[in-house]
Coordinates of all heavy atoms in Angstrom, one line a residue:
M1 N -84.0 -227.8 97.7 CA -83.3 -226.5 97.4 C -83.3 -225.7 98.7 O -84.2 -225.6 99.4 CB -83.9 -225.8 96.3 CG -83.4 -224.4 96.0 SD -83.1 -224.1 94.3 CE -81.9 -222.8 94.4
A2 N -82.2 -225.0 98.9 CA -82.0 -224.2 100.1 C -82.9 -222.9 99.9 O -83.1 -222.4 98.9 CB -80.6 -223.8 100.2
N3 N -83.3 -222.4 101.1 CA -84.1 -221.2 101.1 C -83.1 -220.0 101.2 O -82.3 -219.9 102.1 CB -85.0 -221.2 102.4 CG -85.9 -220.0 102.4 OD1 -86.0 -219.2 101.5 ND2 -86.7 -219.9 103.5
L4 N -83.2 -219.1 100.3 CA -82.3 -217.9 100.2 C -83.0 -216.7 100.8 O -82.3 -215.7 100.9 CB -81.9 -217.7 98.8 CG -81.1 -218.8 98.1 CD1 -80.8 -218.5 96.7 CD2 -79.9 -219.2 98.9
L5 N -84.2 -216.8 101.2 CA -85.0 -215.7 101.8 C -85.4 -216.1 103.2 O -86.0 -217.2 103.3 CB -86.2 -215.3 101.0 CG -85.9 -214.9 99.5 CD1 -87.2 -214.7 98.8 CD2 -85.0 -213.6 99.4
H6 N -85.2 -215.3 104.2 CA -85.5 -215.7 105.6 C -86.2 -214.5 106.3 O -85.7 -213.4 106.2 CB -84.3 -216.1 106.4 CG -83.6 -217.2 105.8 ND1 -83.8 -218.5 106.2 CD2 -82.6 -217.3 104.9 CE1 -83.0 -219.3 105.5 NE2 -82.3 -218.6 104.7
N7 N -87.3 -214.8 107.0 CA -87.9 -213.9 107.9 C -87.7 -214.5 109.3 O -88.2 -215.6 109.6 CB -89.4 -213.7 107.7 CG -89.7 -213.2 106.3 OD1 -90.2 -213.9 105.5 ND2 -89.4 -212.0 106.0
I8 N -87.0 -213.9 110.2 CA -86.6 -214.5 111.5 C -87.0 -213.6 112.6 O -86.8 -212.3 112.5 CB -85.1 -214.7 111.5 CG1 -84.6 -215.6 110.4 CG2 -84.7 -215.3 112.8 CD1 -83.1 -215.7 110.2
S9 N -87.6 -214.2 113.6 CA -88.0 -213.4 114.8 C -87.6 -214.1 116.1 O -87.6 -215.4 116.1 CB -89.5 -213.1 114.8 OG -90.2 -214.2 114.9
G10 N -87.2 -213.4 117.1 CA -86.9 -213.9 118.4 C -85.4 -213.9 118.6 O -84.6 -213.7 117.7
E11 N -85.1 -214.1 119.9 CA -83.7 -214.3 120.3 C -83.3 -215.7 119.9 O -83.8 -216.7 120.6 CB -83.4 -214.0 121.8 CG -83.4 -212.6 122.1 CD -82.9 -212.3 123.5 OE1 -83.5 -212.6 124.4 OE2 -81.7 -211.8 123.5
I12 N -82.6 -215.9 118.9 CA -82.5 -217.2 118.3 C -81.1 -217.4 117.5 O -80.6 -216.4 117.1 CB -83.6 -217.5 117.3 CG1 -83.7 -218.9 116.8 CG2 -83.6 -216.5 116.1 CD1 -85.0 -219.2 116.1
T13 N -80.6 -218.6 117.4 CA -79.6 -218.9 116.5 C -80.2 -219.8 115.5 O -80.8 -220.8 115.8 CB -78.4 -219.6 117.2 OG1 -77.9 -218.8 118.2 CG2 -77.3 -220.0 116.2
Q14 N -80.1 -219.4 114.2 CA -80.8 -220.2 113.1 C -79.8 -220.5 112.0 O -79.0 -219.6 111.6 CB -81.9 -219.4 112.6 CG -82.7 -220.2 111.5 CD -84.0 -219.5 111.2 OE1 -84.7 -219.0 112.1 NE2 -84.4 -219.6 109.9
E15 N -79.9 -221.7 111.5 CA -79.1 -222.1 110.3 C -79.7 -221.5 109.1 O -80.9 -221.7 108.8 CB -79.0 -223.6 110.2 CG -78.2 -224.1 109.1 CD -78.1 -225.6 109.1 OE1 -79.1 -226.3 108.7 OE2 -77.0 -226.1 109.4
L16 N -79.0 -220.7 108.3 CA -79.5 -220.1 107.1 C -79.2 -221.0 105.9 O -80.0 -221.0 104.9 CB -78.8 -218.8 106.9 CG -79.0 -217.7 107.9 CD1 -78.2 -216.5 107.6 CD2 -80.5 -217.4 108.1
L17 N -78.1 -221.7 105.9 CA -77.7 -222.6 104.8 C -76.9 -223.8 105.4 O -75.9 -223.6 106.0 CB -76.8 -221.8 103.9 CG -76.6 -222.2 102.4 CD1 -78.0 -222.4 101.7 CD2 -75.7 -221.2 101.7
A18 N -77.5 -224.9 105.1 CA -76.8 -226.2 105.6 C -75.6 -226.6 104.8 O -75.6 -226.3 103.6 CB -77.8 -227.3 105.7
A19 N -74.6 -227.1 105.4 CA -73.5 -227.7 104.7 C -74.0 -228.7 103.7 O -74.9 -229.5 104.1 CB -72.5 -228.3 105.7
G20 N -73.4 -228.8 102.6 CA -73.8 -229.8 101.6 C -74.9 -229.3 100.6 O -75.3 -230.1 99.7
N21 N -75.4 -228.1 100.7 CA -76.3 -227.6 99.7 C -75.7 -227.2 98.4 O -76.4 -227.0 97.4 CB -77.1 -226.4 100.2 CG -78.1 -226.7 101.2 OD1 -78.6 -227.8 101.3 ND2 -78.5 -225.8 102.1
S22 N -74.3 -227.2 98.4 CA -73.6 -226.9 97.1 C -74.0 -225.6 96.5 O -74.2 -225.5 95.2 CB -73.6 -228.1 96.2 OG -73.1 -229.2 96.7
L23 N -74.2 -224.5 97.2 CA -74.5 -223.2 96.7 C -73.3 -222.3 97.0 O -72.6 -222.4 98.0 CB -75.7 -222.7 97.4 CG -77.0 -223.4 97.1 CD1 -78.2 -222.8 97.9 CD2 -77.4 -223.3 95.6
T24 N -73.1 -221.3 96.1 CA -72.2 -220.3 96.3 C -72.9 -219.0 96.7 O -73.8 -218.6 96.0 CB -71.3 -220.0 95.0 OG1 -70.6 -221.2 94.7 CG2 -70.3 -218.9 95.2
I25 N -72.5 -218.4 97.8 CA -73.1 -217.2 98.3 C -72.1 -216.1 98.2 O -71.0 -216.2 98.6 CB -73.6 -217.4 99.8 CG1 -74.5 -218.5 100.0 CG2 -74.1 -216.0 100.3 CD1 -75.8 -218.4 99.2
N26 N -72.5 -215.0 97.5 CA -71.6 -213.9 97.3 C -71.9 -212.7 98.3 O -71.0 -211.9 98.5 CB -71.7 -213.4 95.9 CG -71.2 -214.4 94.9 OD1 -70.1 -215.0 95.1 ND2 -72.0 -214.8 93.9
S27 N -73.1 -212.6 98.8 CA -73.5 -211.5 99.7 C -74.6 -211.9 100.6 O -75.4 -212.8 100.2 CB -73.8 -210.2 99.0 OG -75.0 -210.3 98.3
V28 N -74.7 -211.3 101.7 CA -75.8 -211.5 102.7 C -76.3 -210.1 103.1 O -75.5 -209.2 103.4 CB -75.3 -212.2 104.0 CG1 -76.4 -212.3 105.0 CG2 -74.7 -213.5 103.6
S29 N -77.6 -209.9 103.0 CA -78.3 -208.7 103.4 C -79.2 -209.0 104.6 O -80.0 -209.9 104.5 CB -79.1 -208.1 102.2 OG -79.8 -207.0 102.6
I30 N -79.0 -208.2 105.6 CA -79.8 -208.3 106.9 C -80.4 -207.0 107.2 O -79.7 -206.0 107.3 CB -78.9 -208.8 108.0 CG1 -78.2 -210.1 107.7 CG2 -79.8 -209.0 109.3 CD1 -77.2 -210.5 108.7
V31 N -81.8 -207.0 107.3 CA -82.5 -205.7 107.7 C -83.3 -205.9 108.9 O -84.0 -206.9 109.1 CB -83.5 -205.3 106.5 CG1 -84.3 -204.1 106.9 CG2 -82.7 -205.1 105.2
N32 N -83.1 -205.0 109.9 CA -83.9 -205.0 111.1 C -85.3 -204.5 110.7 O -85.5 -203.4 110.4 CB -83.3 -204.1 112.1 CG -84.1 -204.1 113.4 OD1 -85.1 -204.6 113.6 ND2 -83.5 -203.4 114.4
T33 N -86.3 -205.4 110.8 CA -87.7 -205.1 110.4 C -88.6 -204.7 111.6 O -89.7 -204.4 111.4 CB -88.3 -206.2 109.7 OG1 -88.3 -207.4 110.5 CG2 -87.6 -206.5 108.3
N34 N -88.0 -204.8 112.8 CA -88.8 -204.4 114.0 C -89.0 -202.9 114.0 O -88.1 -202.1 113.7 CB -88.1 -204.8 115.3 CG -89.0 -204.7 116.5 OD1 -89.3 -203.6 116.9 ND2 -89.5 -205.8 117.0
A35 N -90.2 -202.4 114.3 CA -90.6 -201.0 114.3 C -90.1 -200.2 115.5 O -90.1 -199.0 115.5 CB -92.1 -200.9 114.2
S36 N -89.6 -200.9 116.6 CA -89.3 -200.2 117.8 C -88.0 -200.6 118.5 O -87.6 -199.9 119.5 CB -90.4 -200.2 118.8 OG -90.7 -201.6 119.1
I37 N -87.4 -201.7 118.2 CA -86.2 -202.1 118.9 C -85.0 -202.4 118.0 O -85.2 -202.8 116.9 CB -86.4 -203.3 119.8 CG1 -86.7 -204.6 119.0 CG2 -87.5 -203.1 120.9 CD1 -86.7 -205.9 119.9
S38 N -83.8 -202.3 118.5 CA -82.6 -202.6 117.9 C -82.2 -204.1 118.2 O -82.8 -204.6 119.1 CB -81.5 -201.7 118.3 OG -81.8 -200.4 117.9
V39 N -81.3 -204.6 117.4 CA -80.9 -206.0 117.6 C -79.4 -206.1 117.4 O -78.8 -205.4 116.6 CB -81.7 -206.9 116.6 CG1 -81.4 -206.6 115.2 CG2 -81.4 -208.4 116.9
L40 N -78.8 -207.1 118.1 CA -77.4 -207.4 117.9 C -77.4 -208.6 117.0 O -78.1 -209.6 117.2 CB -76.7 -207.8 119.2 CG -76.2 -206.6 120.1 CD1 -75.5 -207.2 121.3 CD2 -75.2 -205.7 119.3
V41 N -76.5 -208.6 116.0 CA -76.5 -209.7 115.0 C -75.1 -210.3 114.9 O -74.1 -209.6 114.9 CB -76.8 -209.2 113.6 CG1 -76.6 -210.2 112.5 CG2 -78.2 -208.6 113.5
D42 N -75.0 -211.6 115.0 CA -73.8 -212.4 114.7 C -74.1 -213.2 113.4 O -75.2 -213.8 113.3 CB -73.5 -213.4 115.7 CG -73.0 -212.8 117.1 OD1 -72.8 -211.6 117.1 OD2 -73.0 -213.5 118.1
L43 N -73.2 -213.2 112.4 CA -73.3 -214.0 111.2 C -72.0 -214.8 111.1 O -70.9 -214.2 111.2 CB -73.4 -213.1 110.0 CG -73.6 -213.8 108.7 CD1 -74.9 -214.5 108.6 CD2 -73.4 -212.7 107.5
Y44 N -72.1 -216.1 111.0 CA -70.9 -216.9 111.0 C -71.1 -218.2 110.2 O -72.2 -218.6 109.9 CB -70.4 -217.2 112.4 CG -71.4 -218.0 113.3 CD1 -71.4 -219.4 113.3 CD2 -72.4 -217.3 114.0 CE1 -72.4 -220.1 114.1 CE2 -73.3 -218.0 114.8 CZ -73.3 -219.4 114.8 OH -74.2 -220.1 115.6
I45 N -69.9 -218.7 109.8 CA -69.9 -220.1 109.2 C -69.4 -221.0 110.2 O -68.6 -220.7 111.1 CB -69.1 -220.1 107.9 CG1 -67.6 -219.7 108.1 CG2 -69.7 -219.2 106.8 CD1 -66.7 -219.9 106.9
E46 N -69.8 -222.3 110.1 CA -69.4 -223.3 111.1 C -69.3 -224.7 110.5 O -70.2 -225.0 109.7 CB -70.4 -223.3 112.3 CG -70.0 -224.3 113.4 CD -71.0 -224.2 114.6 OE1 -72.1 -223.7 114.4 OE2 -70.6 -224.7 115.7
K47 N -68.3 -225.4 110.8 CA -68.1 -226.8 110.4 C -67.9 -227.6 111.7 O -67.1 -227.2 112.5 CB -66.9 -226.9 109.5 CG -66.7 -228.3 108.9 CD -65.5 -228.3 107.9 CE -65.3 -229.7 107.4 NZ -64.2 -229.6 106.4
V48 N -68.7 -228.7 111.8 CA -68.6 -229.5 113.0 C -67.1 -229.9 113.2 O -66.4 -230.4 112.3 CB -69.5 -230.8 112.8 CG1 -69.3 -231.7 114.0 CG2 -70.9 -230.4 112.7
G49 N -66.7 -229.7 114.4 CA -65.3 -230.1 114.8 C -64.3 -229.0 114.5 O -63.1 -229.2 115.0
T50 N -64.6 -228.0 113.8 CA -63.6 -226.9 113.5 C -64.0 -225.6 114.2 O -63.1 -224.7 114.3 CB -63.4 -226.7 112.0 OG1 -64.6 -226.2 111.5 CG2 -62.9 -227.9 111.3
G51 N -65.2 -225.4 114.6 CA -65.6 -224.2 115.3 C -66.3 -223.2 114.4 O -66.6 -223.4 113.2
K52 N -66.5 -222.0 115.0 CA -67.2 -220.9 114.3 C -66.2 -219.9 113.8 O -65.2 -219.7 114.4 CB -68.1 -220.2 115.3 CG -69.2 -221.0 115.8 CD -70.0 -220.2 116.9 CE -71.1 -221.1 117.5 NZ -71.8 -220.4 118.6
Y53 N -66.5 -219.4 112.6 CA -65.7 -218.3 112.0 C -66.6 -217.2 111.7 O -67.5 -217.3 110.8 CB -65.0 -218.9 110.7 CG -64.1 -220.0 111.0 CD1 -64.6 -221.3 111.0 CD2 -62.8 -219.8 111.5 CE1 -63.8 -222.4 111.3 CE2 -62.0 -220.9 111.8 CZ -62.5 -222.2 111.7 OH -61.7 -223.2 112.0
Y54 N -66.5 -216.1 112.4 CA -67.4 -214.9 112.3 C -67.2 -214.1 111.1 O -66.0 -213.7 110.8 CB -67.3 -214.1 113.6 CG -68.0 -214.8 114.7 CD1 -67.3 -215.6 115.6 CD2 -69.3 -214.6 115.0 CE1 -67.9 -216.2 116.6 CE2 -70.0 -215.2 116.0 CZ -69.2 -216.0 116.9 OH -69.8 -216.7 117.9
V55 N -68.2 -213.7 110.4 CA -68.2 -212.7 109.3 C -68.6 -211.4 110.0 O -68.0 -210.4 109.7 CB -69.3 -213.1 108.2 CG1 -69.3 -212.0 107.2 CG2 -68.9 -214.5 107.6
V56 N -69.6 -211.4 110.9 CA -70.0 -210.3 111.7 C -70.2 -210.7 113.1 O -70.8 -211.8 113.3 CB -71.3 -209.7 111.1 CG1 -71.9 -208.6 112.0 CG2 -71.2 -209.2 109.7
K57 N -69.7 -209.9 114.1 CA -69.9 -210.3 115.5 C -70.4 -209.1 116.2 O -69.8 -208.0 116.2 CB -68.5 -210.7 116.1 CG -68.5 -211.0 117.5 CD -69.0 -212.4 117.8 CE -68.8 -212.7 119.3 NZ -69.8 -213.6 119.8
N58 N -71.5 -209.2 117.0 CA -72.1 -208.2 117.8 C -72.3 -206.9 117.0 O -72.0 -205.8 117.5 CB -71.2 -207.9 119.0 CG -71.3 -209.0 120.0 OD1 -72.3 -209.7 120.1 ND2 -70.2 -209.2 120.8
H59 N -72.9 -207.0 115.8 CA -73.2 -205.8 115.0 C -74.6 -205.3 115.5 O -75.6 -206.0 115.5 CB -73.2 -206.1 113.5 CG -73.5 -204.9 112.7 ND1 -72.4 -204.1 112.3 CD2 -74.6 -204.4 112.2 CE1 -72.9 -203.1 111.6 NE2 -74.2 -203.2 111.5
F60 N -74.6 -204.0 115.9 CA -75.8 -203.4 116.4 C -76.6 -202.8 115.2 O -76.1 -202.0 114.4 CB -75.4 -202.2 117.3 CG -76.5 -201.5 118.0 CD1 -77.0 -202.1 119.2 CD2 -77.1 -200.4 117.5 CE1 -78.0 -201.4 119.9 CE2 -78.1 -199.7 118.2 CZ -78.6 -200.3 119.4
L61 N -77.8 -203.3 115.0 CA -78.7 -202.9 113.9 C -79.8 -202.1 114.5 O -80.6 -202.6 115.3 CB -79.3 -204.0 113.1 CG -78.5 -204.7 112.0 CD1 -79.3 -205.8 111.3 CD2 -78.2 -203.6 110.9
N62 N -79.9 -200.8 114.2 CA -81.0 -199.9 114.6 C -82.2 -200.3 113.8 O -82.2 -201.0 112.8 CB -80.6 -198.5 114.3 CG -79.6 -197.9 115.3 OD1 -79.7 -198.2 116.5 ND2 -78.6 -197.3 114.8
V63 N -83.4 -199.7 114.3 CA -84.6 -199.9 113.6 C -84.5 -199.5 112.1 O -84.0 -198.5 111.8 CB -85.7 -199.1 114.3 CG1 -87.0 -199.1 113.5 CG2 -85.9 -199.6 115.7
G64 N -84.9 -200.5 111.2 CA -84.9 -200.2 109.8 C -83.5 -200.2 109.1 O -83.4 -200.1 107.9
E65 N -82.5 -200.4 109.9 CA -81.1 -200.4 109.4 C -80.8 -201.7 108.6 O -81.3 -202.8 109.0 CB -80.1 -200.2 110.5 CG -78.7 -200.0 110.0 CD -77.7 -199.7 111.1 OE1 -78.0 -199.9 112.3 OE2 -76.6 -199.3 110.7
K66 N -80.0 -201.5 107.6 CA -79.6 -202.7 106.7 C -78.1 -202.9 106.9 O -77.3 -202.0 106.9 CB -79.9 -202.4 105.3 CG -79.4 -203.4 104.3 CD -79.8 -203.0 102.9 CE -79.3 -204.0 101.8 NZ -79.7 -203.5 100.5
L67 N -77.7 -204.2 106.9 CA -76.3 -204.6 106.9 C -76.1 -205.5 105.7 O -76.9 -206.4 105.5 CB -75.9 -205.4 108.2 CG -74.6 -206.2 108.1 CD1 -73.4 -205.2 108.1 CD2 -74.5 -207.1 109.3
E68 N -75.2 -205.1 104.8 CA -74.9 -205.9 103.7 C -73.4 -206.3 103.7 O -72.5 -205.4 103.9 CB -75.2 -205.2 102.4 CG -75.0 -206.1 101.2 CD -76.1 -205.9 100.1 OE1 -76.9 -205.1 100.3 OE2 -76.0 -206.7 99.1
T69 N -73.1 -207.5 103.5 CA -71.7 -208.0 103.6 C -71.4 -208.9 102.4 O -72.2 -209.7 102.0 CB -71.4 -208.7 104.9 OG1 -70.0 -209.1 104.9 CG2 -72.3 -209.9 105.1
G70 N -70.3 -208.7 101.8 CA -69.8 -209.6 100.8 C -69.3 -210.9 101.4 O -68.8 -210.8 102.6
L71 N -69.5 -212.0 100.8 CA -69.1 -213.2 101.4 C -68.9 -214.3 100.3 O -69.8 -214.7 99.6 CB -70.2 -213.7 102.3 CG -70.1 -215.1 103.0 CD1 -68.9 -215.0 104.0 CD2 -71.4 -215.5 103.7
G72 N -67.6 -214.6 100.0 CA -67.3 -215.6 99.0 C -67.3 -216.9 99.7 O -66.4 -217.3 100.5
F73 N -68.4 -217.7 99.6 CA -68.7 -218.9 100.4 C -69.4 -219.9 99.6 O -70.4 -219.7 99.0 CB -69.5 -218.4 101.6 CG -70.1 -219.5 102.4 CD1 -69.3 -220.3 103.2 CD2 -71.5 -219.7 102.4 CE1 -69.9 -221.3 104.0 CE2 -72.1 -220.7 103.2 CZ -71.3 -221.5 104.0
N74 N -68.8 -221.1 99.6 CA -69.4 -222.3 98.9 C -69.6 -223.3 100.0 O -68.7 -223.7 100.6 CB -68.6 -222.8 97.8 CG -69.3 -223.9 97.0 OD1 -69.8 -224.9 97.6 ND2 -69.4 -223.8 95.7
N75 N -70.8 -223.8 100.1 CA -71.1 -224.8 101.2 C -71.3 -226.2 100.5 O -72.3 -226.8 100.8 CB -72.2 -224.4 102.1 CG -73.6 -224.5 101.4 OD1 -73.7 -224.3 100.2 ND2 -74.6 -224.8 102.1
G76 N -70.4 -226.7 99.8 CA -70.4 -228.0 99.2 C -70.4 -229.1 100.3 O -70.4 -228.8 101.5
P77 N -70.4 -230.4 99.9 CA -70.5 -231.5 100.8 C -69.3 -231.4 101.8 O -68.2 -231.0 101.5 CB -70.3 -232.7 99.9 CG -70.7 -232.3 98.6 CD -70.4 -230.8 98.5
K78 N -69.7 -231.6 103.1 CA -68.8 -231.6 104.2 C -68.1 -230.3 104.4 O -67.0 -230.2 104.9 CB -67.7 -232.7 104.1 CG -68.3 -234.1 104.0 CD -67.3 -235.2 104.0 CE -68.0 -236.5 103.9 NZ -67.0 -237.6 103.8
Q79 N -68.7 -229.2 103.9 CA -68.2 -227.9 104.1 C -68.9 -227.2 105.3 O -69.5 -227.8 106.1 CB -68.3 -227.1 102.8 CG -67.5 -227.6 101.7 CD -66.0 -227.6 102.0 OE1 -65.4 -226.6 102.5 NE2 -65.3 -228.7 101.7
F80 N -68.9 -225.9 105.2 CA -69.5 -225.1 106.3 C -70.9 -224.7 106.1 O -71.4 -224.6 105.0 CB -68.7 -223.7 106.4 CG -67.3 -223.9 106.8 CD1 -66.3 -224.1 105.9 CD2 -66.9 -223.8 108.2 CE1 -65.0 -224.3 106.3 CE2 -65.6 -224.0 108.6 CZ -64.6 -224.2 107.6
G81 N -71.7 -224.6 107.2 CA -73.0 -224.1 107.2 C -73.0 -222.6 107.5 O -72.0 -222.1 108.1
L82 N -74.0 -221.9 107.2 CA -74.1 -220.4 107.5 C -75.2 -220.2 108.5 O -76.3 -220.7 108.4 CB -74.4 -219.7 106.2 CG -74.5 -218.2 106.3 CD1 -73.2 -217.5 106.7 CD2 -75.0 -217.6 105.0
F83 N -74.8 -219.5 109.6 CA -75.7 -219.2 110.7 C -75.9 -217.8 111.1 O -74.9 -217.0 110.8 CB -75.2 -220.0 112.0 CG -75.2 -221.5 111.8 CD1 -74.1 -222.1 111.2 CD2 -76.2 -222.2 112.3 CE1 -74.0 -223.4 111.1 CE2 -76.1 -223.6 112.2 CZ -75.1 -224.2 111.6
V84 N -77.0 -217.4 111.7 CA -77.2 -216.1 112.2 C -77.7 -216.2 113.6 O -78.4 -217.2 114.0 CB -78.2 -215.3 111.4 CG1 -79.6 -215.8 111.5 CG2 -78.2 -213.8 111.8
K85 N -77.3 -215.3 114.5 CA -77.7 -215.3 115.9 C -78.2 -213.9 116.1 O -77.6 -212.9 115.8 CB -76.6 -215.6 116.9 CG -77.0 -215.5 118.3 CD -75.9 -215.8 119.2 CE -76.3 -215.6 120.7 NZ -75.2 -215.7 121.6
L86 N -79.5 -213.8 116.7 CA -80.1 -212.5 117.0 C -80.2 -212.4 118.5 O -80.6 -213.3 119.2 CB -81.5 -212.4 116.5 CG -81.7 -212.6 115.0 CD1 -83.1 -212.5 114.6 CD2 -80.8 -211.6 114.2
T87 N -79.8 -211.2 119.1 CA -79.9 -211.0 120.5 C -80.6 -209.6 120.7 O -80.3 -208.6 120.1 CB -78.4 -210.9 121.1 OG1 -77.7 -212.0 120.8 CG2 -78.5 -210.7 122.6
N88 N -81.6 -209.7 121.6 CA -82.4 -208.5 121.9 C -81.5 -207.5 122.7 O -80.9 -207.9 123.7 CB -83.6 -208.9 122.8 CG -84.6 -207.8 122.9 OD1 -84.3 -206.7 122.6 ND2 -85.7 -208.1 123.5
V89 N -81.4 -206.3 122.3 CA -80.6 -205.3 123.0 C -81.4 -204.8 124.2 O -80.7 -204.4 125.2 CB -80.3 -204.1 122.0 CG1 -79.5 -203.0 122.7 CG2 -79.5 -204.6 120.8
F90 N -82.7 -204.8 124.2 CA -83.5 -204.2 125.3 C -84.2 -205.4 126.0 O -84.3 -206.5 125.5 CB -84.5 -203.2 124.8 CG -83.8 -202.1 124.0 CD1 -83.8 -202.0 122.6 CD2 -83.0 -201.1 124.7 CE1 -83.1 -201.0 122.0 CE2 -82.4 -200.1 124.0 CZ -82.4 -200.1 122.7
S91 N -84.9 -205.1 127.1 CA -85.5 -206.1 127.9 C -86.9 -206.5 127.4 O -87.5 -207.5 127.8 CB -85.7 -205.6 129.4 OG -86.4 -204.4 129.4
S92 N -87.5 -205.7 126.5 CA -88.8 -206.0 126.0 C -88.8 -205.9 124.4 O -88.0 -205.3 123.8 CB -89.9 -205.0 126.5 OG -89.6 -203.7 126.1
G93 N -89.7 -206.6 123.8 CA -89.8 -206.7 122.4 C -89.1 -207.9 121.8 O -88.3 -208.6 122.5
T94 N -89.4 -208.2 120.6 CA -88.9 -209.4 119.9 C -88.1 -208.9 118.7 O -88.6 -208.2 117.8 CB -90.0 -210.3 119.4 OG1 -90.8 -210.7 120.6 CG2 -89.5 -211.5 118.7
P95 N -86.8 -209.3 118.6 CA -86.0 -208.9 117.4 C -86.6 -209.6 116.2 O -87.0 -210.7 116.2 CB -84.6 -209.5 117.7 CG -84.6 -209.9 119.1 CD -86.0 -210.0 119.5
T96 N -86.7 -208.8 115.1 CA -87.1 -209.4 113.8 C -86.2 -208.9 112.7 O -85.9 -207.7 112.6 CB -88.6 -209.0 113.5 OG1 -88.7 -207.6 113.4 CG2 -89.6 -209.6 114.5
V97 N -85.8 -209.8 111.8 CA -85.0 -209.4 110.7 C -85.4 -210.1 109.4 O -86.0 -211.2 109.5 CB -83.5 -209.6 110.9 CG1 -82.9 -208.9 112.1 CG2 -83.2 -211.1 111.1
D98 N -85.1 -209.5 108.3 CA -85.2 -210.2 107.0 C -83.8 -210.4 106.5 O -83.0 -209.5 106.6 CB -86.0 -209.4 106.0 CG -87.5 -209.3 106.2 OD1 -88.0 -210.2 107.0 OD2 -88.2 -208.5 105.6
I99 N -83.6 -211.6 105.9 CA -82.2 -211.9 105.4 C -82.4 -212.4 104.0 O -83.2 -213.3 103.7 CB -81.5 -213.0 106.3 CG1 -81.4 -212.4 107.7 CG2 -80.2 -213.4 105.7 CD1 -80.8 -213.4 108.7
I100 N -81.5 -211.9 103.1 CA -81.5 -212.3 101.7 C -80.1 -212.8 101.4 O -79.1 -212.1 101.6 CB -81.9 -211.2 100.7 CG1 -83.3 -210.7 101.0 CG2 -81.7 -211.7 99.3 CD1 -83.7 -209.5 100.3
L101 N -80.0 -214.0 100.9 CA -78.7 -214.6 100.5 C -78.6 -214.5 99.0 O -79.6 -214.9 98.3 CB -78.6 -216.1 101.0 CG -78.8 -216.3 102.4 CD1 -78.7 -217.8 102.7 CD2 -77.8 -215.6 103.3
K102 N -77.5 -214.0 98.5 CA -77.4 -213.9 97.0 C -76.2 -214.6 96.6 O -75.2 -214.7 97.2 CB -77.3 -212.4 96.6 CG -78.4 -211.5 96.9 CD -78.2 -210.1 96.6 CE -79.2 -209.2 97.1 NZ -78.9 -207.8 96.9

């Protein structure tokens, strides 16, 4: 079964939901949990050979800020995976976020 709760830290691109899990996602909630730095967030779906399709691109999340987005998305067999990319806005500190898929 796919993990619908994620604690992510670092400048990283991470798969949140693999293609073929056959789940329907209606919303994604992302919260910046770092106490002192902001983070840039990209949220996208991707299918091998077709490229990335962004739901959110370069969204600036302040400390403690929440981003919630509606997303009608089913990742059945040979469909799209769901990914997040975190980028540190400042030169020091580690971006950290919590993500809930509903």
Side-chain angles (χ1 to χ4, degrees):
M1 172 134 201
N3 186 6
L4 301 178
L5 304 172
H6 300 270
N7 302 109
I8 301 172
S9 66
E11 285 195 287
I12 189 170
T13 299
Q14 182 167 324
E15 183 177 73
L16 301 174
L17 199 57
N21 283 338
S22 296
L23 293 174
T24 299
I25 302 299
N26 295 310
S27 69
V28 178
S29 174
I30 304 171
V31 176
N32 181 354
T33 58
N34 189 291
S36 60
I37 66 167
S38 299
V39 61
L40 282 179
V41 175
D42 292 348
L43 180 69
Y44 60 91
I45 59 174
E46 183 174 18
K47 183 176 180 180
V48 175
T50 65
K52 296 176 185 175
Y53 300 92
Y54 286 90
V55 177
V56 173
K57 176 83 172 147
N58 290 332
H59 184 83
F60 187 84
L61 274 180
N62 288 312
V63 172
E65 187 177 15
K66 176 182 177 181
L67 167 66
E68 185 143 2
T69 181
L71 178 66
F73 168 69
N74 185 307
N75 72 329
K78 299 183 181 180
Q79 296 298 316
F80 294 87
L82 180 64
F83 296 83
V84 68
K85 177 182 177 188
L86 304 179
T87 304
N88 191 352
V89 178
F90 304 104
S91 60
S92 63
T94 300
T96 58
V97 298
D98 286 347
I99 299 177
I100 300 173
L101 306 177
K102 299 176 188 171

